Amino acid sequence: MGSFNTSFGEGFILVGFSDWPQLEFILFIYISLFYSLTLIGNTTIIALSQLDPRLHTPMYFFLCHLSFLDLCYTTSTVPQLLINLSGLDRTISYGRCVAQLFFYLALGSTECVLLVVMAFDRYAAVCRPLHYTAIMNPLLCHSLAIAAWVGGLMNSLIQTSLMMAMPLCGLHYLNHFFCEMLVLQKLACEDTGGTEAKMFVARVIIIVVPAALILGSYAHIAQAVLRIKSMAGRRKAFGTCGSHLLVVCLFYGSAMYTYLQSTGSYSESEGKFVALFYTIIIPMLNPLIYTLRNKDVKGALWKVLGRGRDSG
């Protein structure tokens, strides 16, 4: 069993859900449906935010970035999964595997940082309403968005580089439906405790630190909301902040469950089903969470649909 990651000519076979052949057709149907809803929902959010002037605000600027991230995030794994489930091709080259790992980590890490930025936006809106426009000026909004993308790319570059430095050997089977970092680490030929420790620290920085910052900002938001005397004002504040907090809980909850554990304790079979939740279900739910209780977005949607009927 020699080391094989020194050669880009050799790759992997993605086991996917072939352990449960009776589930593959059902999963193919449901995942195709969920992926379609993800594409439609997030594209709609982006389009509405560009078309309706009422949505040209910092909140929807960052929501556009979140929707674009979700589109890319789910597309980095789902097409490969659908091919896998159809039984057409279960192989992936080493180069494609590394590329998938890099983009997947970059997009996920960027979302971790972006959710902090969105929490700061809600903090400014609720706790500093009189200065909100001055604080969240276009220059700061664009700078924060760029910082989120750069932070995500840097984290991915560090972790992917560490992963590529690990000598991999043994069977070329990955018991997952994409090149998951924790599964790749299990193929390490030798003791890589030092490298794994560095990667774990990087995961803590990109997951735990942002989560703590978000919880801190929402503690201040809750105090400010409780000081609002009118019930209508409280309801509006809880409505806009509650949607973001629900997204945060779903995203960080699944990320912490998956990545804040050692490689040895990671269950590949269980991890595949958890990965379905954070790669497919959450990106599909985000547009629904942000629109079902959001009058501005629903109003923009009806306005666009009305225009379409009028022009028809």
Side-chain angles (χ1 to χ4, degrees):
M1 295 196 301
S3 173
F4 65 81
N5 62 323
T6 54
S7 171
F8 283 82
E10 299 186 62
F12 304 95
I13 295 174
L14 295 168
V15 174
F17 294 92
S18 57
D19 295 344
W20 299 278
Q22 68 279 9
L23 288 179
E24 288 194 305
F25 179 72
I26 297 171
L27 285 172
F28 181 86
I29 297 299
Y30 276 100
I31 290 168
S32 298
L33 175 62
F34 291 159
Y35 184 50
S36 299
L37 291 174
T38 300
L39 295 179
I40 293 168
N42 285 290
T43 302
T44 300
I45 291 286
I46 295 170
L48 290 177
S49 298
Q50 298 301 313
L51 292 172
D52 196 313
R54 292 176 299 176
L55 303 184
H56 293 174
T57 64
M59 176 180 172
Y60 296 104
F61 171 76
F62 295 126
L63 185 55
C64 272
H65 278 268
L66 180 65
S67 292
F68 180 70
L69 268 173
D70 282 339
L71 283 173
C72 298
Y73 184 67
T74 192
T75 300
S76 68
T77 58
V78 172
Q80 176 77 48
L81 171 57
L82 292 175
I83 293 171
N84 187 305
L85 289 171
S86 67
L88 296 175
D89 186 11
R90 298 184 187 275
T91 63
I92 184 169
S93 68
Y94 180 77
R96 282 175 56 208
C97 188
V98 170
Q100 185 183 61
L101 176 67
F102 174 80
F103 286 112
Y104 171 79
L105 284 175
L107 294 164
S109 301
T110 301
E111 187 157 338
C112 285
V113 182
L114 184 63
L115 289 173
V116 178
V117 172
M118 294 176 75
F120 174 72
D121 173 66
R122 292 300 83 208
Y123 167 82
V126 175
C127 300
R128 298 288 186 272
L130 299 178
H131 303 96
Y132 176 69
T133 306
I135 295 171
M136 300 304 296
N137 58 76
L139 177 61
L140 179 63
C141 289
H142 284 90
S143 298
L144 290 173
I146 291 170
W149 282 96
V150 171
L153 289 170
M154 290 300 296
N155 177 69
S156 179
L157 184 62
I158 291 169
Q159 295 207 55
T160 304
S161 299
L162 289 170
M163 185 69 250
M164 290 180 68
M166 286 186 179
L168 307 179
C169 59
L171 297 175
H172 296 202
Y173 287 88
L174 286 180
N175 191 11
H176 214 288
F177 61 85
F178 67 97
C179 292
E180 171 64 272
M181 180 173 55
L182 295 174
V183 179
L184 285 167
Q185 285 178 226
K186 287 199 170 189
L187 295 180
C189 295
E190 56 192 45
D191 182 18
T192 55
T195 303
E196 287 186 22
K198 293 174 185 176
M199 296 173 79
F200 184 79
V201 169
R203 293 200 293 268
V204 168
I205 292 172
I206 204 67
I207 296 174
V208 177
V209 174
L213 291 172
I214 291 172
L215 291 176
S217 69
Y218 271 95
H220 288 287
I221 288 172
Q223 291 177 347
V225 170
L226 292 175
R227 288 197 295 267
I228 298 175
K229 294 182 180 179
S230 70
M231 285 302 296
R234 286 187 183 184
R235 198 176 296 114
K236 183 178 180 181
F238 275 125
T240 56
C241 296
S243 300
H244 180 253
L245 194 57
L246 180 57
V247 170
V248 166
C249 291
L250 291 172
F251 182 79
Y252 283 102
S254 57
M256 288 180 180
Y257 179 81
T258 302
Y259 294 107
L260 297 187
Q261 57 179 301
S262 64
T263 306
S265 61
Y266 177 74
S267 169
E268 294 171 339
S269 297
E270 183 182 292
K272 285 186 282 190
F273 287 97
V274 175
L276 285 177
F277 180 73
Y278 60 76
T279 59
I280 300 169
I281 304 299
I282 292 179
M284 181 197 69
L285 288 177
N286 282 353
L288 295 176
I289 291 170
Y290 278 107
T291 57
L292 287 178
R293 297 179 60 190
N294 192 309
K295 293 180 181 179
D296 292 337
V297 175
K298 287 190 288 187
L301 180 60
W302 286 117
K303 184 178 177 182
V304 170
L305 292 175
R307 281 178 183 171
R309 286 197 296 268
D310 292 340
S311 62

